[in-house]
Amino acid sequence: MPGHFEPLPGGGAAVALDDVEISIIRSLTVQLLELIGPGPAEDAPADPLAELFAEGPSEPPADPVLKRLFPDAYSDPEGTAGTKEAEEQQAHSAEFRRYTENDLRAGKRDNALAVIRTLDALTAAAGDSGGVLKLSPQESLQWLRALNDLRLAIGSRLEITDEDDTDLLYRLPDEDPRKPMVMAYLWLGGLQETLVSTLMP
């Protein structure tokens, strides 16, 4: 079980994590939460009707990581920049973003918070030495989504765009300043892959 998820009887998954691994995942997840941004103010009056019609941003985010986490729904077809067709695609993307991005952000925030809560519960139960993290089926799905978001965020910072870029990461010299981030990216990928396999029927 060390370093990879295994299925639990009755559903869910388990993985052994030491205190360093817990600290790394928690720290990266907190940074992801800060990047996604806060949710609605807790003291704001709950108005389901107002929330239903609340509009999000229409412009894509400036930060490349957020652009990767919240991409445009419609991309400009090749070679159409500046054309009427491209303008229509941008308008469709803006409208789609306006009505979906708030919910997407809330979902990503919930997944990240689930990761932090389960890690905190493990630390409280097992102490500073780490232990075996046991996730319910629902928590496993939240972890899977959060791991995907973490890898997208790190991959964006490392400017990874395809599989060839990933192959180059394995050959980075140890003195390269990107090496710690690369190691985290590859390790999270291994966790994600084994978690996917535990959830497959």
Side-chain angles (χ1 to χ4, degrees):
M1 184 183 303
H4 62 273
F5 280 95
E6 291 185 0
L8 287 173
V15 63
L17 297 172
D18 64 30
D19 59 329
V20 174
E21 292 167 332
I22 291 170
S23 176
I24 291 169
I25 296 172
R26 194 181 192 290
S27 174
L28 290 171
T29 306
V30 166
Q31 291 175 52
L32 179 66
L33 271 173
E34 291 171 354
L35 192 61
I36 291 170
E42 290 183 14
D43 56 352
D47 181 353
L49 193 59
E51 288 177 16
L52 182 64
F53 294 102
E55 293 186 8
S58 59
E59 295 296 318
D63 188 295
V65 173
L66 289 175
K67 273 188 182 176
R68 189 88 178 265
L69 292 172
F70 304 103
D72 278 335
Y74 303 91
S75 59
D76 296 339
E78 288 283 324
T80 61
T83 66
K84 183 178 179 182
E85 186 179 0
E87 289 175 10
E88 287 176 356
Q89 295 289 12
Q90 288 171 353
H92 292 317
S93 286
E95 183 149 351
F96 186 84
R97 184 179 296 280
R98 186 164 43 248
Y99 293 110
T100 61
E101 187 168 312
N102 285 345
D103 286 341
L104 290 172
R105 282 182 186 261
K108 291 181 185 301
R109 196 177 300 112
D110 289 345
N111 294 329
L113 286 170
V115 168
I116 292 170
R117 286 187 193 110
T118 54
L119 290 175
D120 288 351
L122 175 63
T123 302
D128 291 336
S129 59
V132 176
L133 177 71
K134 295 181 180 179
L135 303 174
S136 69
Q138 176 62 30
E139 290 168 338
S140 297
L141 288 173
Q142 290 178 301
W143 262 75
L144 186 60
R145 294 181 191 121
L147 287 172
N148 187 60
D149 288 342
L150 286 172
R151 291 194 78 238
L152 284 173
I154 295 171
S156 180
R157 290 288 187 240
L158 292 171
E159 299 179 352
I160 297 170
T161 57
D162 58 35
E163 196 59 39
D164 292 339
D165 293 337
T166 305
D167 292 339
L168 293 173
L169 297 179
Y170 286 101
R171 297 192 292 273
L172 277 181
D174 289 342
E175 60 272 12
D176 192 301
R178 297 171 295 171
K179 190 74 172 193
M181 184 103 33
V182 166
M183 298 305 292
Y185 177 81
L186 297 173
W187 173 59
L188 292 173
L191 282 177
Q192 183 182 19
E193 188 176 332
T194 60
L195 183 52
V196 167
S197 67
T198 68
L199 298 175
M200 294 178 79

